[in-house]
Amino acid sequence: MDEDLPPPIDSPSDALGRLGEFVTLSSRERAALAGLLEPVQHWPRHHVLRHEAAVPSHLYLLTKGWVASSIVLTSGKQQIVKVHLPGDLLGAPSLCLTTTVDCLTAMTPIAVRAISRSRLMTTIETYPRIALSLFLSAQKERVALMENLAVVGQAPANVRIAATLTNLFDRLFERGDAPGGMFHMPLTQRDLGDLIGITPVHVNRTLREMDRLNLIKRSDQTISLLDVDRLRRIAGLPVRHYVSGPDWIASD
Amino acid sequence: MDEDLPPPIDSPSDALGRLGEFVTLSSRERAALAGLLEPVQHWPRHHVLRHEAAVPSHLYLLTKGWVASSIVLTSGKQQIVKVHLPGDLLGAPSLCLTTTVDCLTAMTPIAVRAISRSRLMTTIETYPRIALSLFLSAQKERVALMENLAVVGQAPANVRIAATLTNLFDRLFERGDAPGGMFHMPLTQRDLGDLIGITPVHVNRTLREMDRLNLIKRSDQTISLLDVDRLRRIAGLPVRHYVSGPDWIASD
DNA sequence: CGGAGTTTTGAGGCTATTCAAAGGTCGTGG
DNA sequence: CCACGACCTTTGAATAGCCTCAAAACTCCG
C-alpha cells in the first residue's frame, strides 16, 4: 500500500457495518441503530433478496458474503451497478422511490439483517448524527458510481478490469480479507462483464492477457494481484481520502 | 406525458431549489437553509466553478443555467457524470472526501449561490428533517447515476442518446422549460459524447440518423423531441415515481 | 474580417461482439 | 461412486459498431 488508508471501523460498532462509518456514535445512537436490525437471515448463492420493480419495504445490512445490485434493460442486458461486500447497506437508493430500481442477488452464500424502511426513516428524523453519517455514506456511494461510470464510459477493457480489481482489493484489504493481494473472487466472467459493460468472451481474453503479463494469477475462485501498483496505474484513478476523525465536521 | 409526475416544487421554497424536495419544511427550517445561501454569483460559459483535486470548502446551489460535473482520467479522456439544471445542489459527493472528485464547469452563463461546507454540516446535525431530505436527494442522484451507468455500459449509441434526451426533457418539463418537447440544448456534440461515452464524430452520425427518422429535429442550440414516447421506448428505462406527500414517511 | 470552435463527411482500422463449439468444473441424483 | 447436466472457461472465425485521422463547411464572436 502506497497511501495511508482511513482507520478501520471501530470494532465496538462492527455489528453495525458502515451504518455509522462517518460519525463516532454515542451508545444511545448505536443502540437505536442496533434496534433496527432484525434477526440474521442466511441465503444461498443466487438467491434474489429483492427484485426490481418491487415495493421497497425493507433495506438490508450485509453481514457476510457478496451481493450484486443490478439493473435490467428492456434489451435483456443487465448492468451490475455495485458489488456489495460485508458491512454494506443494501437497497438504500430505492428509499426515494415507490418501486425498487435495482435487483439484489447473492453472489455467494450470504447473511443479512433486514431493516424496516419506515423505522429507518423515523430513526433518521430522531437522531441527526445518524442522519449525517448515512447522508455521507450515500455521497460515498455516489463517488463510487461516478468513478465506475467514468471507467465504463471512457476506458478500454483492460483498464476497466484493472479498476474493478483494485477497487475490490482495497475494500477487502481494509477488512483484512485480501492478504498479499490475494482474495476470494466469486464473480464469474459473465458477472465481471455485466459489471464493466463487456462481453464474457472478451472478459476472458482480457483476463488471460493480464495473466500472461504477470499482473494477476487465477485459480479456483481465487485471484492474486501480483502488482497492485501497476494495476492502479493502469486503472488511472487517484486514491481517495475520506473524511474521518472526531473534528472534521467543524473544520472550515 | 403518459404518466403522472410528482407535483412541482412548492413555490414558497423555490429559492431553495431541491434542498427540501422530499420534505415539506417548516418556516424555521426553510429559514435555516436560506441562511446558508451566500449572495448570488454570476459566471460566464466555460467558467470552472471548482476544479477536481481541490479542497471542497463550498457547495453551490444552481439557480440559473447548466453545469457539468466531470471526471478526468489519466488517459486524458473525460466523463461527464451529471448535467446539473437549475435547482440542483452542486458538489455534494465531495462532502465525504478531503479532495474533490469532480470538476464543475458552466455549460451556459450561470447563477449560483455558494454554501459553506462546515455550516451545511452543522445545519444537518441540527435539523433532522433537512438531513432526511438531503439524504433522500442523495439517493435520488444515486438512482440517476445507476441508470446512466446501465445505459452507458449496455446500450448502443442511439439508445444512449435517446435516454439522455428524454431524461433532460423530463427534468426541464417539470420546470416548464420544455414546452411541446422543445428545449434549449447548450451541450455540444463533444459534450454529449463525454456524457454517454462516445466519440463526437459518432454522436454526430447518430444524431443525424435520429433526425432522419423524425425522432428529433435540431436548429441553433435548440432541439425538439418529435416523438417522446418512441424515444422513451428506445431508451428502455421505466418511468420512476419518487416518494412525495406529507405522510409517506410513516407509511409501512 | 479573421480565428476559434462546432458540425459534417469520408476512408480505413481496431476493439469488442456475435456465433459456435469444445473442454473443464461442480453439484446432484441415480 | 459414477454419470449426468448445468454452468463456466476457453478458443476460433467472421462481423459490426465505433474510433481515429483528416479535412471541409459552417457558426459565432471579437
Side-chain angles (χ1 to χ4, degrees):
Chain A
M1 304 300 301
D2 49 2
E3 294 282 352
D4 51 325
L5 290 173
I9 301 163
D10 41 333
S11 34
S13 64
D14 192 35
L16 297 178
R18 291 173 44 200
L19 285 177
E21 64 178 329
F22 280 107
V23 172
T24 48
L25 299 172
S26 71
S27 54
R28 250 184 80 244
E29 289 162 338
R30 282 211 305 273
L33 280 177
L36 291 175
L37 300 176
E38 299 178 11
V40 175
Q41 295 174 336
H42 292 267
W43 298 107
R45 190 168 122 99
H46 291 151
H47 175 75
V48 175
L49 205 52
R50 202 191 61 183
H51 281 92
E52 59 184 319
V55 176
S57 64
H58 289 273
L59 312 188
Y60 301 91
L61 180 65
L62 183 61
T63 59
K64 210 173 290 180
W66 294 26
V67 169
S69 157
S70 59
I71 290 182
V72 178
L73 302 185
T74 51
S75 65
K77 300 189 175 184
Q78 81 162 346
Q79 172 75 36
I80 296 178
V81 294
K82 173 88 183 184
V83 172
H84 285 291
L85 302 182
D88 283 3
L89 181 64
L90 317 181
S94 300
L95 279 175
C96 68
L97 295 167
T98 59
T99 262
T100 57
V101 59
D102 59 345
C103 172
L104 299 172
T105 311
M107 313 298 285
T108 68
I110 60 167
V112 295
R113 302 187 68 173
I115 299 174
S116 153
R117 170 206 186 112
S118 53
R119 290 187 60 206
L120 175 64
M121 289 299 188
T122 55
T123 301
I124 289 178
E125 262 194 312
T126 312
Y127 297 91
R129 289 172 59 78
I130 290 177
L132 179 58
S133 182
L134 289 176
F135 172 68
L136 290 170
S137 293
Q139 301 300 353
K140 186 174 176 180
E141 292 296 336
R142 246 177 110 178
V143 171
L145 277 169
M146 288 163 65
E147 287 194 333
N148 200 4
L149 175 58
V151 168
V152 170
Q154 304 296 334
N158 62 329
V159 175
R160 301 190 201 184
I161 290 182
T164 303
L165 292 180
T166 52
N167 177 264
L168 286 173
F169 166 72
D170 286 339
R171 293 162 65 202
L172 289 167
F173 187 85
E174 227 176 306
R175 304 179 49 87
D177 292 338
M182 185 166 87
F183 56 90
H184 178 63
M185 176 65 176
L187 297 184
T188 68
Q189 294 180 3
R190 164 189 297 272
D191 296 330
L192 240 183
D194 288 343
L195 180 59
I196 63 180
I198 278 180
T199 291
V201 175
H202 198 238
V203 169
N204 182 278
R205 294 195 228 268
T206 310
L207 279 178
R208 310 206 85 244
E209 178 65 10
M210 297 175 78
D211 208 315
R212 197 184 63 76
L213 294 174
N214 289 320
L215 285 167
I216 61 175
K217 287 298 169 194
R218 300 161 297 151
S219 64
D220 284 335
Q221 290 201 331
T222 300
I223 193 168
S224 283
L225 311 194
L226 300 186
D227 191 337
V228 175
D229 287 341
R230 192 144 66 101
L231 283 170
R232 263 194 236 288
R233 242 173 294 128
I234 292 173
L237 290 171
V239 178
R240 305 285 176 205
H241 297 276
Y242 297 95
V243 291
S244 66
D247 300 327
W248 64 267
I249 295 174
S251 71
D252 200 38
Chain B
M1 303 301 301
D2 49 0
E3 294 283 352
D4 53 325
L5 289 173
I9 301 163
D10 40 334
S11 35
S13 63
D14 192 34
L16 297 178
R18 291 172 44 199
L19 286 177
E21 65 179 326
F22 280 107
V23 172
T24 49
L25 299 172
S26 71
S27 55
R28 250 185 79 243
E29 289 161 339
R30 283 210 306 274
L33 279 177
L36 291 175
L37 300 176
E38 299 178 11
V40 175
Q41 295 174 336
H42 291 268
W43 299 106
R45 190 169 121 103
H46 290 151
H47 175 76
V48 175
L49 204 53
R50 202 192 62 183
H51 280 92
E52 60 184 319
V55 176
S57 64
H58 288 272
L59 312 188
Y60 301 91
L61 180 65
L62 183 62
T63 59
K64 209 174 290 181
W66 294 27
V67 170
S69 157
S70 60
I71 290 181
V72 178
L73 301 186
T74 52
S75 66
K77 299 189 175 182
Q78 80 163 347
Q79 173 74 37
I80 296 179
V81 294
K82 173 87 184 185
V83 171
H84 286 291
L85 302 182
D88 282 3
L89 181 64
L90 316 181
S94 300
L95 279 176
C96 67
L97 295 167
T98 58
T99 263
T100 56
V101 59
D102 59 344
C103 172
L104 300 172
T105 311
M107 313 298 285
T108 68
I110 60 168
V112 295
R113 302 187 67 174
I115 298 174
S116 152
R117 171 205 184 111
S118 53
R119 290 187 60 206
L120 176 64
M121 288 300 187
T122 55
T123 301
I124 289 178
E125 262 195 312
T126 312
Y127 297 91
R129 289 173 58 79
I130 290 177
L132 179 59
S133 182
L134 289 176
F135 172 68
L136 290 170
S137 293
Q139 301 299 354
K140 186 174 177 181
E141 292 297 335
R142 248 176 108 178
V143 171
L145 276 168
M146 288 162 66
E147 287 194 331
N148 200 6
L149 175 57
V151 168
V152 170
Q154 304 296 334
N158 62 330
V159 175
R160 301 190 201 184
I161 290 182
T164 303
L165 292 180
T166 51
N167 177 265
L168 286 173
F169 166 72
D170 286 339
R171 293 163 65 200
L172 290 166
F173 187 85
E174 228 177 305
R175 304 179 49 88
D177 292 337
M182 186 166 85
F183 56 90
H184 177 63
M185 176 64 176
L187 297 185
T188 67
Q189 294 181 4
R190 165 188 297 273
D191 296 331
L192 239 184
D194 288 343
L195 180 59
I196 63 181
I198 278 180
T199 291
V201 175
H202 198 240
V203 169
N204 182 279
R205 293 194 227 269
T206 310
L207 279 177
R208 309 206 86 244
E209 178 64 11
M210 297 174 78
D211 207 317
R212 196 184 65 76
L213 294 173
N214 289 321
L215 286 166
I216 61 175
K217 287 298 170 194
R218 300 162 296 150
S219 63
D220 284 336
Q221 290 201 332
T222 300
I223 193 168
S224 282
L225 310 194
L226 300 186
D227 191 338
V228 175
D229 287 342
R230 194 144 64 101
L231 283 170
R232 264 194 235 288
R233 242 173 294 127
I234 292 173
L237 290 171
V239 178
R240 304 285 176 204
H241 297 275
Y242 297 95
V243 292
S244 65
D247 300 327
W248 65 267
I249 295 174
S251 71
D252 201 38

